[in-house]
Amino acid sequence: MKLNYRLFRLSSIFILITLGLSIMLTFFTIQNEITKFICNISLNIFAGAIILFATSLIEYFSYRRKDLESIMNFILKYQNCFSKIKYLKETKYLSYSEYKEKFKKQDNTIDKKIKLRELCDEYNKNIFNDFDEIIDAYLNISDINFNDFWAIYDDIRFIVNNKSKKIKLYNEIFKKIYDEASNIRNLSYHLNIYKTSVVNPIAIYDKIREYQKNIFCEKSTIDIEKLDDERMQIIESGIPCLTICDKNGSLFIYNKFIKYLDDKYIEIGKMAYFDKNYNG
């Protein structure tokens, strides 16, 4: 698209210059062989610029649609990756001393203490729902290569308000997705250590619980049966969500980052197809 955009702008400039020059030489200067010669050359360049203008414009709109559709496909790809992240529920785990007391264990030797700590860690890990699966989902996102994604940003151009539209795309889509993946890479540094060496699962549990505030929205609800329009929209759109109930009430939880990407997918679709009613 970048080449067609430049050819379109270049041909537009040639059209304006050659047309203006031809008009000036024809109507506002004394006619002689030199002015007629220059005017003929100018008109020939004008005719070629018109053809270049038309072909570059047609190809521009073709590549514009392809690039925007590619962005939509990438959004779907990243939605799928983030949808595999399950919400890590708050869990009452046992400290080492609580574990010893609960199971009446003694650690009067170093070997017993080491073994007992391993058993305590294994116990806590097993009560964290989908713990290994959640970790793997984060690690998969941390391995995503964004080169092709950024190549689209480099190529895409807009005839009208190019700078402002590219800045909007950069901030709301490209940078937004890349920054979230970067946050997960930072988290994955600790997850990789956990996967390859002996690390207390409670520390990883706390890090995941802290990070997931970035991508999950928690809303308290008094009556689960009376869901508001936003919750019904989330459920109907297939965005991962769940309801957790306990003695203190209930929480409606959904992946707000997927919801954000879903909204951006529709927004880009409206641009790609020039359809204000496009809904995905």
Side-chain angles (χ1 to χ4, degrees), residues 5 18 20 24 26 32 110 150 196 201-202 211 253:
Y5 173 80
T18 54
M24 185 184 69
T26 302
N32 55 45
I110 295 177
W150 282 113
T196 57
I202 294 175
Y211 167 76
I253 301 166

Side-chain angles (χ1 to χ4, degrees), residues 13 25 75 99 117 149 161 201 206 266:
I13 293 171
L25 292 174
I75 289 175
Y99 180 82
R117 285 192 180 278
F149 189 49
N161 298 327
D206 289 337
I266 294 174

Side-chain angles (χ1 to χ4, degrees), residues 172-190:
E172 296 184 2
I173 296 179
F174 289 87
K175 186 175 184 297
K176 179 77 173 179
I177 294 173
Y178 185 79
D179 284 353
E180 203 57 59
S182 295
N183 292 334
I184 289 178
R185 287 194 191 98
N186 294 334
L187 172 65
S188 295
Y189 169 78
H190 303 282

Side-chain angles (χ1 to χ4, degrees), residues 228-242:
D228 57 25
D229 292 339
E230 180 185 1
R231 290 170 183 150
M232 287 304 301
Q233 181 185 7
I234 289 167
I235 293 172
E236 291 171 358
S237 63
I239 294 171
C241 59
L242 72 156

